[in-house]
Amino acid sequence: REPLVTVIIRTHNSAATIRKAISSVFLQSFDPKEVEVIAVDDHSEDATLGILNSFGARIKVVQSERDGAVASLNVALENATGYCLTLLDDDDQLEPECLKCLWHPFVAAQFTGRRIFTHGDYVEVFPSEATGPYVSTKDNIFDTVAGGLMFRRTDLLEACGWDEKLLFAEYDLLIRLLANGFSGVHIPRPLYVYSRKEDSITRDRDRVERGLR
């Protein structure tokens, strides 16, 4: 039987952070037998691949033959078997209740036929700070980050995955889903720890919107 959730981790030269990211998946309150972890390595040149392989059969490691973070998402989608998918960046962590909270609305949606994706709030952490601000994603879809959302795998396949020509393909996917009758179900609690780099391009809202064009 296929797992309920696939956690996708795309990674490149993340030896310093990838072990902590993956470990946060194994600390979930969600039944571990229902979780598939797929790590797509995008031509890492450090110790990343060795760390991934050290987890053995607990994760599926795929070495991408295509270049780029967005391509890695589509490679993972092609290899995933879970009913739902969620993303975890290689320098971030899931809070222990993340998968359970993001999954729960899909149970009811199976009976109502409602087309949904789910998204939670997150805590933003900067390298120079121990803790950062709490970010609510309730009112603005552009306040979400790549992680902390969940989708049905079949919905992503129907949408043809992420557009590899775009800089901000994650936002483009959300826009396309909303335009096709999907609704986002907001979970009002922090489910994700997002490591915001000081030079992160997602801090520039105008650049995000230009990147969708």
Side-chain angles (χ1 to χ4, degrees), residues 107-132:
V107 177
Q110 292 182 71
F111 298 100
T112 64
R114 186 181 177 196
R115 306 177 80 190
I116 67 168
F117 59 89
T118 58
H119 57 103
D121 300 336
Y122 60 94
V123 175
E124 193 172 52
V125 177
F126 293 88
S128 59
E129 303 172 10
T131 60

PDB file of all heavy atoms in Angstrom, residues 107-132:
ATOM      1  N   VAL A 107      -8.548  14.305   4.786  1.00  0.00           N
ATOM      2  CA  VAL A 107      -9.435  13.199   5.158  1.00  0.00           C
ATOM      3  C   VAL A 107     -10.878  13.576   4.856  1.00  0.00           C
ATOM      4  O   VAL A 107     -11.615  12.821   4.205  1.00  0.00           O
ATOM      5  CB  VAL A 107      -9.256  12.839   6.645  1.00  0.00           C
ATOM      6  CG1 VAL A 107     -10.233  11.734   7.042  1.00  0.00           C
ATOM      7  CG2 VAL A 107      -7.814  12.411   6.930  1.00  0.00           C
ATOM      8  N   ALA A 108     -11.290  14.760   5.315  1.00  0.00           N
ATOM      9  CA  ALA A 108     -12.655  15.220   5.047  1.00  0.00           C
ATOM     10  C   ALA A 108     -12.864  15.490   3.562  1.00  0.00           C
ATOM     11  O   ALA A 108     -13.943  15.217   3.008  1.00  0.00           O
ATOM     12  CB  ALA A 108     -12.946  16.484   5.861  1.00  0.00           C
ATOM     13  N   ALA A 109     -11.844  16.018   2.894  1.00  0.00           N
ATOM     14  CA  ALA A 109     -11.978  16.362   1.479  1.00  0.00           C
ATOM     15  C   ALA A 109     -12.222  15.136   0.609  1.00  0.00           C
ATOM     16  O   ALA A 109     -12.835  15.233  -0.456  1.00  0.00           O
ATOM     17  CB  ALA A 109     -10.730  17.099   1.007  1.00  0.00           C
ATOM     18  N   GLN A 110     -11.766  13.964   1.059  1.00  0.00           N
ATOM     19  CA  GLN A 110     -12.020  12.740   0.299  1.00  0.00           C
ATOM     20  C   GLN A 110     -13.508  12.456   0.176  1.00  0.00           C
ATOM     21  O   GLN A 110     -13.964  11.878  -0.813  1.00  0.00           O
ATOM     22  CB  GLN A 110     -11.328  11.548   0.982  1.00  0.00           C
ATOM     23  CG  GLN A 110      -9.823  11.584   0.925  1.00  0.00           C
ATOM     24  CD  GLN A 110      -9.214  10.354   1.570  1.00  0.00           C
ATOM     25  OE1 GLN A 110      -9.295   9.245   1.051  1.00  0.00           O
ATOM     26  NE2 GLN A 110      -8.596  10.557   2.732  1.00  0.00           N
ATOM     27  N   PHE A 111     -14.281  12.876   1.174  1.00  0.00           N
ATOM     28  CA  PHE A 111     -15.721  12.588   1.190  1.00  0.00           C
ATOM     29  C   PHE A 111     -16.542  13.720   0.572  1.00  0.00           C
ATOM     30  O   PHE A 111     -17.640  13.489   0.082  1.00  0.00           O
ATOM     31  CB  PHE A 111     -16.180  12.332   2.627  1.00  0.00           C
ATOM     32  CG  PHE A 111     -15.519  11.152   3.269  1.00  0.00           C
ATOM     33  CD1 PHE A 111     -14.455  11.321   4.136  1.00  0.00           C
ATOM     34  CD2 PHE A 111     -15.927   9.859   2.973  1.00  0.00           C
ATOM     35  CE1 PHE A 111     -13.830  10.231   4.723  1.00  0.00           C
ATOM     36  CE2 PHE A 111     -15.309   8.754   3.554  1.00  0.00           C
ATOM     37  CZ  PHE A 111     -14.256   8.947   4.425  1.00  0.00           C
ATOM     38  N   THR A 112     -16.014  14.929   0.582  1.00  0.00           N
ATOM     39  CA  THR A 112     -16.763  16.074   0.048  1.00  0.00           C
ATOM     40  C   THR A 112     -16.427  16.379  -1.398  1.00  0.00           C
ATOM     41  O   THR A 112     -17.185  17.082  -2.075  1.00  0.00           O
ATOM     42  CB  THR A 112     -16.479  17.331   0.888  1.00  0.00           C
ATOM     43  OG1 THR A 112     -15.086  17.675   0.770  1.00  0.00           O
ATOM     44  CG2 THR A 112     -16.817  17.097   2.359  1.00  0.00           C
ATOM     45  N   GLY A 113     -15.298  15.868  -1.877  1.00  0.00           N
ATOM     46  CA  GLY A 113     -14.872  16.174  -3.235  1.00  0.00           C
ATOM     47  C   GLY A 113     -14.232  17.542  -3.366  1.00  0.00           C
ATOM     48  O   GLY A 113     -13.919  17.987  -4.478  1.00  0.00           O
ATOM     49  N   ARG A 114     -14.024  18.221  -2.255  1.00  0.00           N
ATOM     50  CA  ARG A 114     -13.424  19.545  -2.287  1.00  0.00           C
ATOM     51  C   ARG A 114     -11.970  19.452  -2.752  1.00  0.00           C
ATOM     52  O   ARG A 114     -11.228  18.578  -2.329  1.00  0.00           O
ATOM     53  CB  ARG A 114     -13.479  20.169  -0.895  1.00  0.00           C
ATOM     54  CG  ARG A 114     -13.017  21.607  -0.819  1.00  0.00           C
ATOM     55  CD  ARG A 114     -13.100  22.099   0.616  1.00  0.00           C
ATOM     56  NE  ARG A 114     -12.608  23.458   0.748  1.00  0.00           N
ATOM     57  CZ  ARG A 114     -12.277  24.031   1.902  1.00  0.00           C
ATOM     58  NH1 ARG A 114     -12.417  23.333   3.036  1.00  0.00           N
ATOM     59  NH2 ARG A 114     -11.841  25.267   1.940  1.00  0.00           N
ATOM     60  N   ARG A 115     -11.567  20.358  -3.611  1.00  0.00           N
ATOM     61  CA  ARG A 115     -10.205  20.371  -4.155  1.00  0.00           C
ATOM     62  C   ARG A 115      -9.379  21.356  -3.332  1.00  0.00           C
ATOM     63  O   ARG A 115      -9.614  22.569  -3.380  1.00  0.00           O
ATOM     64  CB  ARG A 115     -10.226  20.763  -5.629  1.00  0.00           C
ATOM     65  CG  ARG A 115     -11.162  19.901  -6.463  1.00  0.00           C
ATOM     66  CD  ARG A 115     -11.211  20.365  -7.895  1.00  0.00           C
ATOM     67  NE  ARG A 115     -10.063  19.885  -8.654  1.00  0.00           N
ATOM     68  CZ  ARG A 115      -9.762  20.313  -9.880  1.00  0.00           C
ATOM     69  NH1 ARG A 115     -10.487  21.260 -10.460  1.00  0.00           N
ATOM     70  NH2 ARG A 115      -8.726  19.815 -10.527  1.00  0.00           N
ATOM     71  N   ILE A 116      -8.431  20.834  -2.600  1.00  0.00           N
ATOM     72  CA  ILE A 116      -7.710  21.671  -1.637  1.00  0.00           C
ATOM     73  C   ILE A 116      -6.206  21.446  -1.700  1.00  0.00           C
ATOM     74  O   ILE A 116      -5.720  20.464  -2.254  1.00  0.00           O
ATOM     75  CB  ILE A 116      -8.177  21.399  -0.188  1.00  0.00           C
ATOM     76  CG1 ILE A 116      -7.769  19.975   0.244  1.00  0.00           C
ATOM     77  CG2 ILE A 116      -9.669  21.631  -0.031  1.00  0.00           C
ATOM     78  CD1 ILE A 116      -7.932  19.721   1.740  1.00  0.00           C
ATOM     79  N   PHE A 117      -5.494  22.395  -1.140  1.00  0.00           N
ATOM     80  CA  PHE A 117      -4.132  22.195  -0.652  1.00  0.00           C
ATOM     81  C   PHE A 117      -4.105  22.819   0.739  1.00  0.00           C
ATOM     82  O   PHE A 117      -4.989  23.605   1.090  1.00  0.00           O
ATOM     83  CB  PHE A 117      -3.073  22.817  -1.580  1.00  0.00           C
ATOM     84  CG  PHE A 117      -3.229  24.292  -1.791  1.00  0.00           C
ATOM     85  CD1 PHE A 117      -2.622  25.213  -0.934  1.00  0.00           C
ATOM     86  CD2 PHE A 117      -3.965  24.780  -2.864  1.00  0.00           C
ATOM     87  CE1 PHE A 117      -2.755  26.573  -1.133  1.00  0.00           C
ATOM     88  CE2 PHE A 117      -4.103  26.153  -3.076  1.00  0.00           C
ATOM     89  CZ  PHE A 117      -3.500  27.050  -2.202  1.00  0.00           C
ATOM     90  N   THR A 118      -3.156  22.453   1.554  1.00  0.00           N
ATOM     91  CA  THR A 118      -3.103  22.978   2.916  1.00  0.00           C
ATOM     92  C   THR A 118      -1.803  23.748   3.125  1.00  0.00           C
ATOM     93  O   THR A 118      -0.783  23.457   2.507  1.00  0.00           O
ATOM     94  CB  THR A 118      -3.223  21.858   3.960  1.00  0.00           C
ATOM     95  OG1 THR A 118      -2.170  20.893   3.762  1.00  0.00           O
ATOM     96  CG2 THR A 118      -4.568  21.158   3.857  1.00  0.00           C
ATOM     97  N   HIS A 119      -1.873  24.741   4.007  1.00  0.00           N
ATOM     98  CA  HIS A 119      -0.670  25.524   4.310  1.00  0.00           C
ATOM     99  C   HIS A 119      -0.731  26.009   5.748  1.00  0.00           C
ATOM    100  O   HIS A 119      -1.770  26.397   6.258  1.00  0.00           O
ATOM    101  CB  HIS A 119      -0.519  26.709   3.354  1.00  0.00           C
ATOM    102  CG  HIS A 119      -1.674  27.665   3.322  1.00  0.00           C
ATOM    103  ND1 HIS A 119      -1.657  28.887   3.947  1.00  0.00           N
ATOM    104  CD2 HIS A 119      -2.893  27.569   2.724  1.00  0.00           C
ATOM    105  CE1 HIS A 119      -2.798  29.514   3.734  1.00  0.00           C
ATOM    106  NE2 HIS A 119      -3.569  28.739   3.001  1.00  0.00           N
ATOM    107  N   GLY A 120       0.414  25.935   6.416  1.00  0.00           N
ATOM    108  CA  GLY A 120       0.508  26.364   7.802  1.00  0.00           C
ATOM    109  C   GLY A 120       1.370  27.596   7.949  1.00  0.00           C
ATOM    110  O   GLY A 120       1.958  28.098   6.990  1.00  0.00           O
ATOM    111  N   ASP A 121       1.432  28.101   9.160  1.00  0.00           N
ATOM    112  CA  ASP A 121       2.308  29.225   9.478  1.00  0.00           C
ATOM    113  C   ASP A 121       3.712  28.699   9.750  1.00  0.00           C
ATOM    114  O   ASP A 121       3.951  27.491   9.817  1.00  0.00           O
ATOM    115  CB  ASP A 121       1.771  29.976  10.690  1.00  0.00           C
ATOM    116  CG  ASP A 121       0.369  30.533  10.449  1.00  0.00           C
ATOM    117  OD1 ASP A 121       0.010  30.741   9.267  1.00  0.00           O
ATOM    118  OD2 ASP A 121      -0.358  30.740  11.434  1.00  0.00           O
ATOM    119  N   TYR A 122       4.649  29.618   9.905  1.00  0.00           N
ATOM    120  CA  TYR A 122       6.031  29.184  10.143  1.00  0.00           C
ATOM    121  C   TYR A 122       6.781  30.215  10.974  1.00  0.00           C
ATOM    122  O   TYR A 122       6.352  31.356  11.136  1.00  0.00           O
ATOM    123  CB  TYR A 122       6.757  28.918   8.823  1.00  0.00           C
ATOM    124  CG  TYR A 122       6.868  30.090   7.876  1.00  0.00           C
ATOM    125  CD1 TYR A 122       7.989  30.917   7.881  1.00  0.00           C
ATOM    126  CD2 TYR A 122       5.863  30.351   6.952  1.00  0.00           C
ATOM    127  CE1 TYR A 122       8.106  31.978   7.002  1.00  0.00           C
ATOM    128  CE2 TYR A 122       5.963  31.414   6.069  1.00  0.00           C
ATOM    129  CZ  TYR A 122       7.084  32.219   6.087  1.00  0.00           C
ATOM    130  OH  TYR A 122       7.186  33.279   5.209  1.00  0.00           O
ATOM    131  N   VAL A 123       7.895  29.765  11.499  1.00  0.00           N
ATOM    132  CA  VAL A 123       8.821  30.638  12.218  1.00  0.00           C
ATOM    133  C   VAL A 123      10.015  30.877  11.319  1.00  0.00           C
ATOM    134  O   VAL A 123      10.607  29.936  10.777  1.00  0.00           O
ATOM    135  CB  VAL A 123       9.270  30.014  13.550  1.00  0.00           C
ATOM    136  CG1 VAL A 123      10.329  30.886  14.217  1.00  0.00           C
ATOM    137  CG2 VAL A 123       8.078  29.824  14.473  1.00  0.00           C
ATOM    138  N   GLU A 124      10.347  32.141  11.160  1.00  0.00           N
ATOM    139  CA  GLU A 124      11.445  32.530  10.283  1.00  0.00           C
ATOM    140  C   GLU A 124      12.704  32.758  11.122  1.00  0.00           C
ATOM    141  O   GLU A 124      12.677  33.511  12.094  1.00  0.00           O
ATOM    142  CB  GLU A 124      11.048  33.819   9.564  1.00  0.00           C
ATOM    143  CG  GLU A 124      11.908  34.212   8.411  1.00  0.00           C
ATOM    144  CD  GLU A 124      11.303  35.398   7.673  1.00  0.00           C
ATOM    145  OE1 GLU A 124      10.987  36.419   8.315  1.00  0.00           O
ATOM    146  OE2 GLU A 124      11.136  35.291   6.454  1.00  0.00           O
ATOM    147  N   VAL A 125      13.779  32.098  10.756  1.00  0.00           N
ATOM    148  CA  VAL A 125      15.022  32.183  11.523  1.00  0.00           C
ATOM    149  C   VAL A 125      16.128  32.703  10.617  1.00  0.00           C
ATOM    150  O   VAL A 125      16.310  32.216   9.496  1.00  0.00           O
ATOM    151  CB  VAL A 125      15.412  30.804  12.094  1.00  0.00           C
ATOM    152  CG1 VAL A 125      16.735  30.886  12.819  1.00  0.00           C
ATOM    153  CG2 VAL A 125      14.326  30.300  13.039  1.00  0.00           C
ATOM    154  N   PHE A 126      16.864  33.690  11.112  1.00  0.00           N
ATOM    155  CA  PHE A 126      17.998  34.240  10.383  1.00  0.00           C
ATOM    156  C   PHE A 126      19.292  33.677  10.966  1.00  0.00           C
ATOM    157  O   PHE A 126      19.346  33.341  12.150  1.00  0.00           O
ATOM    158  CB  PHE A 126      18.001  35.765  10.458  1.00  0.00           C
ATOM    159  CG  PHE A 126      16.846  36.401   9.741  1.00  0.00           C
ATOM    160  CD1 PHE A 126      15.637  36.611  10.377  1.00  0.00           C
ATOM    161  CD2 PHE A 126      16.973  36.793   8.415  1.00  0.00           C
ATOM    162  CE1 PHE A 126      14.574  37.195   9.715  1.00  0.00           C
ATOM    163  CE2 PHE A 126      15.913  37.379   7.745  1.00  0.00           C
ATOM    164  CZ  PHE A 126      14.713  37.581   8.393  1.00  0.00           C
ATOM    165  N   PRO A 127      20.349  33.588  10.161  1.00  0.00           N
ATOM    166  CA  PRO A 127      21.610  33.014  10.663  1.00  0.00           C
ATOM    167  C   PRO A 127      22.141  33.704  11.909  1.00  0.00           C
ATOM    168  O   PRO A 127      22.777  33.067  12.755  1.00  0.00           O
ATOM    169  CB  PRO A 127      22.566  33.199   9.472  1.00  0.00           C
ATOM    170  CG  PRO A 127      21.682  33.269   8.275  1.00  0.00           C
ATOM    171  CD  PRO A 127      20.427  33.945   8.733  1.00  0.00           C
ATOM    172  N   SER A 128      21.902  34.996  12.038  1.00  0.00           N
ATOM    173  CA  SER A 128      22.459  35.754  13.154  1.00  0.00           C
ATOM    174  C   SER A 128      21.572  35.753  14.394  1.00  0.00           C
ATOM    175  O   SER A 128      21.909  36.361  15.401  1.00  0.00           O
ATOM    176  CB  SER A 128      22.700  37.205  12.714  1.00  0.00           C
ATOM    177  OG  SER A 128      21.483  37.798  12.286  1.00  0.00           O
ATOM    178  N   GLU A 129      20.428  35.040  14.324  1.00  0.00           N
ATOM    179  CA  GLU A 129      19.474  35.086  15.424  1.00  0.00           C
ATOM    180  C   GLU A 129      19.086  33.672  15.849  1.00  0.00           C
ATOM    181  O   GLU A 129      18.967  32.771  15.020  1.00  0.00           O
ATOM    182  CB  GLU A 129      18.219  35.851  15.010  1.00  0.00           C
ATOM    183  CG  GLU A 129      18.499  37.274  14.544  1.00  0.00           C
ATOM    184  CD  GLU A 129      17.262  37.932  13.970  1.00  0.00           C
ATOM    185  OE1 GLU A 129      16.167  37.361  14.110  1.00  0.00           O
ATOM    186  OE2 GLU A 129      17.397  39.018  13.383  1.00  0.00           O
ATOM    187  N   ALA A 130      18.853  33.492  17.138  1.00  0.00           N
ATOM    188  CA  ALA A 130      18.430  32.187  17.648  1.00  0.00           C
ATOM    189  C   ALA A 130      16.984  31.899  17.275  1.00  0.00           C
ATOM    190  O   ALA A 130      16.619  30.767  16.964  1.00  0.00           O
ATOM    191  CB  ALA A 130      18.604  32.143  19.164  1.00  0.00           C
ATOM    192  N   THR A 131      16.130  32.916  17.336  1.00  0.00           N
ATOM    193  CA  THR A 131      14.727  32.768  16.954  1.00  0.00           C
ATOM    194  C   THR A 131      14.327  33.967  16.116  1.00  0.00           C
ATOM    195  O   THR A 131      14.962  35.022  16.154  1.00  0.00           O
ATOM    196  CB  THR A 131      13.804  32.694  18.192  1.00  0.00           C
ATOM    197  OG1 THR A 131      13.954  33.898  18.957  1.00  0.00           O
ATOM    198  CG2 THR A 131      14.132  31.488  19.044  1.00  0.00           C
ATOM    199  N   GLY A 132      13.280  33.795  15.340  1.00  0.00           N
ATOM    200  CA  GLY A 132      12.826  34.869  14.470  1.00  0.00           C
ATOM    201  C   GLY A 132      11.337  35.084  14.580  1.00  0.00           C
ATOM    202  O   GLY A 132      10.674  34.541  15.470  1.00  0.00           O
TER     203      GLY A 132
END
